[in-house]
């Protein structure tokens, strides 16, 4: 039994089921990120934990106590909203102290707490302003400050950074991570940004269509995606997914891939389990950083295979150059070192790290190996 | 919104000063014509007020001798005093004062209660909507469009049963029932644009139903409250039908009393007193418009833009 337990929880609006049976157990001090595309049910699940939405069936428990029928205010949670939800008619001070006031905390104690939080988030000079007079980043801080006064069991964040510009978003991300390390509070964090998910979390739940597609550490989710959706959703640029056929050539099980010039390339599998799928069509998944120029290949890998393929496009991106080619009729992105001399139209040797390759069933989209 | 004319005319298309001479006249001309037309409209609308004011300030003899449009040659406020406290209204010579007070005692609670209930309804309908809430809202809206005449007899019976017949409280009740559909409509539409996340944040902060209403929603409701108050005040103050139907002699509102004053058949018709009384009856609504009018426009705009 975990600190926060989501047991078989579902949510329906009338006949529409927006969240299917979900089981997640969160340990104390964990940073769980719910990630997925728009409309997949992330906010719904978060609101169910907060008590803002009823649970249709199943249970949600915090510290072993069922939260069914418990009011949001009595769950000992704090929440930061996407729009920050600062009370427009109150000053920053009023915003931060409102919750404590509602919980009957005496004025001197409230003042002490406000000062403490203001110092932690460096918002002392803003305390007497109205939310309308703050910048986006400052509002974000105040919203966090309001949540911090509660000493909650669980912090809930609903896309807290999505209204900030790119630079500020990265800064605040770091701050949230630091805050988590400092306070050690359990956090459930919703985002549709997979980078935020990977950098912040101790565990990720990837959601899609009302289902949790995969629950695991960032590394697990990134390296061992459970299905094609997770593979394509996590990582940027996203994983290359292209059709291939499993062949057996003199005892070597390999994926045979058609290149754009009509030639066939053979990529031997590392895992022995693929022998069972001989002759089948599969979808091969290889991340851009596992397709490199020869010198950029991972030296620790024992399964680098060179494939000569025509270069279709190059995109210098500063630290790397992204190179596009075509395999199995799909556009493939490879990640080259920045100073590799390569141009569109060349035939160029691509170094493919087959240790990092994964295979999916094209029909069920589930992982084969 | 038109900007005030400046010494240098900027043509909107190019942003360069218009060349002098004939073309300057051409750019000015439409505006000049516009202002002349507007001025004529102003005069047209203000003329009745002018007539009322000047005639309420002159002795009766000046009116009966045919000087309706001229300024008083002998200024007097005596008609005002008479209309207020001594004129014959119906059977008694009390002036309009007691009825003015009746109207105040009717309009203030009616507006206050209707506005507060409308705000509460709007709050519930948007932020705590429940199964059937749309239906209830629909019915309330429907109530806005029931013609007054249709409810006169059932309402008279209801007031009788409730023991409110012929009293100011009865009138308050009638106006409340009629006004609540409108006030609910106003507040519902206003609160629909109010971020639900704020309500949720307050819930998590531990605020209850009424605390959220009082501390979070009400402080942001100024513009729509003003719109609602002006609308209700004007309607209730100016109402004649309900006042005439449901009041006794001692609970008549100003509008009915004014009618009685003008209709009093004893002696000569004191037109100057009638004018003074009519202005008195119109003053409170005028005052409400002047004090709150800017918010009225602002509130209507805010509602329409935010949907
Ligand atoms: N009150 C409601 N009635 C019916 N359906 C709803 C209601 N609220 C949400 N939904 C549906 O539930 C699904 C999940 O919504 P949710 O808000 O959890 O999405 P999300 O994952 O948070 O998306 P986003 O990233 O856009 O915020 C959506 O398909 C939405 O249309
Ligand atoms: Mg959401």
């Amino acid at each position: 039994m975990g600190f926060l337990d989501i047991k078989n929880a579902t949510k329906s609006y009338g006949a529409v089921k927006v969240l299917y049976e979900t089981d997640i157990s969160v340990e104390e001090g964990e940073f769980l990120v719910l990630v997925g595309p728009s409309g997949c049910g992330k906010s719904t699940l978060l609101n169910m934990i907060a008590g803002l939405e009823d649970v249709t069936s199943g249970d949600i428990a915090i510290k072993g106590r069922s939260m069914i029928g418990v009011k949001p205010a009595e769950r000992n949670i704090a929440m930061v909203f996407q729009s920050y939800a600062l009370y427009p008619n109150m000053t920053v001070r009023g915003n931060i102290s409102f919750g404590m006031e509602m919980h009957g905390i005496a004025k001197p104690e409230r003042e002490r707490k406000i000062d403490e939080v203001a110092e932690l988030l460096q918002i002392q000079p803003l305390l007497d302003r109205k939310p309308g007079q703050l910048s986006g980043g400052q509002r974000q801080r105040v919203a966090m400050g309001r949540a911090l006064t509660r000493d909650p069991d669980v912090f809930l964040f609903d896309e807290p950074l999505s209204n900030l510009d790119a630079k500020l978003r990265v800064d605040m991300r770091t701050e949230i991570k630091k805050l988590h390390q400092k306070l050690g509070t359990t956090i459930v964090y919703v985002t549709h940004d997979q980078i935020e998910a990977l950098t912040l979390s101790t565990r990720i739940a990837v959601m899609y269509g009302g289902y949790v597609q995969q629950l695991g550490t960032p590394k697990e989710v990134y390296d061992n995606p459970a299905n094609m959706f997770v593979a394509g959703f996590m990582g940027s640029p996203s994983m290359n997914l292209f059709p291939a056929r499993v062949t057996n050539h003199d005892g070597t099980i390999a994926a045979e891939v058609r290149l754009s010039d009509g030639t066939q390339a053979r990529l031997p599998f590392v895992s022995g389990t693929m022998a069972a799928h001989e002759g089948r069509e599969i979808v091969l998944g290889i991340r851009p950083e596992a397709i490199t120029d020869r010198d950029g290949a991972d030296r620790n890998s024992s399964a680098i295979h060179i494939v000569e393929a025509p270069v279709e496009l190059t995109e210098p991106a500063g630290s790397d150059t992204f190179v596009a080619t075509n395999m199995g009729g799909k556009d493939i992105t490879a990640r080259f070192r920045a100073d590799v001399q390569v141009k569109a139209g060349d035939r160029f040797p691509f170094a493919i790290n087959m240790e990092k390759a994964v295979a999916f069933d094209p029909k069920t989209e589930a992982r084969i190996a | 919104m038109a900007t005030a004319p400046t010494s240098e005319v900027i043509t909107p298309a190019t942003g360069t000063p218009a060349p002098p001479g004939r073309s300057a006249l051409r750019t000015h001309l439409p505006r000049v014509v516009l202002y002349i037309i507007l001025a004529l409209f102003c005069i047209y609308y203000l003329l009745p007020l002018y007539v009322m004011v000047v005639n309420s300030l002159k002795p009766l003899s000046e009116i009966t001798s045919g000087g309706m449009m001229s300024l008083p040659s002998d200024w007097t406020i005596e008609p005002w005093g008479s209309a207020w406290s001594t004129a014959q209204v119906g059977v008694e010579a009390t002036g309009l004062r007691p009825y003015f007070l009746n109207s105040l005692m009717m309009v203030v609670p009616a507006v206050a209660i209707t506005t507060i209930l409308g705000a509460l309804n709007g709050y519930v309908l948007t932020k705590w909507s429940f199964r059937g809430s749309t239906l209830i809202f629909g019915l309330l809206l429907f109530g806005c469009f029931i013609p007054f005449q249709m409810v006169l007899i059932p309402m008279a019976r209801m007031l009788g049963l409730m023991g409110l017949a012929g009293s100011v409280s009865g009138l308050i009740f009638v106006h409340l029932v009629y006004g609540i559909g409108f006030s609910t409509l106003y507040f519902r539409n206003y609160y629909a644009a109010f971020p639900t996340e704020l309500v949720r944040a307050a819930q998590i902060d531990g605020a209850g139903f009424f605390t959220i209403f009082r501390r979070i929603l009400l402080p942001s409701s100024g513009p729509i409250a003003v719109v609602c108050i002006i609308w209700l005040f004007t309607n209730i103050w100016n109402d004649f039908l309900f006042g005439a139907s449901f009041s006794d002699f001692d609970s008549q509102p100003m509008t009915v009393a004014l009618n009685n004053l003008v209709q009093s058949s004893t002696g000569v018709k004191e037109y100057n007193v009638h004018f003074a009384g009519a202005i008195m009856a119109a003053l409170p609504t005028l005052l409400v418009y002047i004090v709150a009018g800017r918010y009225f426009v602002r509130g209507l705009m805010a509602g329409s833009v935010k949907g």
Side-chain angles (χ1 to χ4, degrees), chain A residues 247-305:
Chain A
T247 58
N248 185 343
H249 223 265
D250 304 334
T252 319
I253 307 296
E256 202 173 70
V257 181
R258 191 172 42 80
L259 305 181
S260 60
D261 56 5
T263 57
Q264 301 280 346
R266 203 166 286 132
L267 301 168
F269 283 108
V270 174
S271 139
T273 57
M274 286 309 290
H277 301 282
E278 192 187 319
R280 270 184 70 184
E281 297 290 340
I282 58 160
V283 171
L284 197 61
I286 306 179
R287 293 209 177 269
E289 62 269 26
I291 310 178
T292 57
D293 57 290
R294 199 190 290 263
D295 293 334
D298 185 355
R299 282 171 217 293
N300 297 324
S301 170
S302 55
I304 304 288
H305 287 272

Side-chain angles (χ1 to χ4, degrees), chain A residues 13 18 37-44 159 192:
Chain A
Y13 290 107
V18 296
S38 192
C40 67
K42 315 179 288 286
S43 301
T44 305
E159 310 209 21
H192 59 256

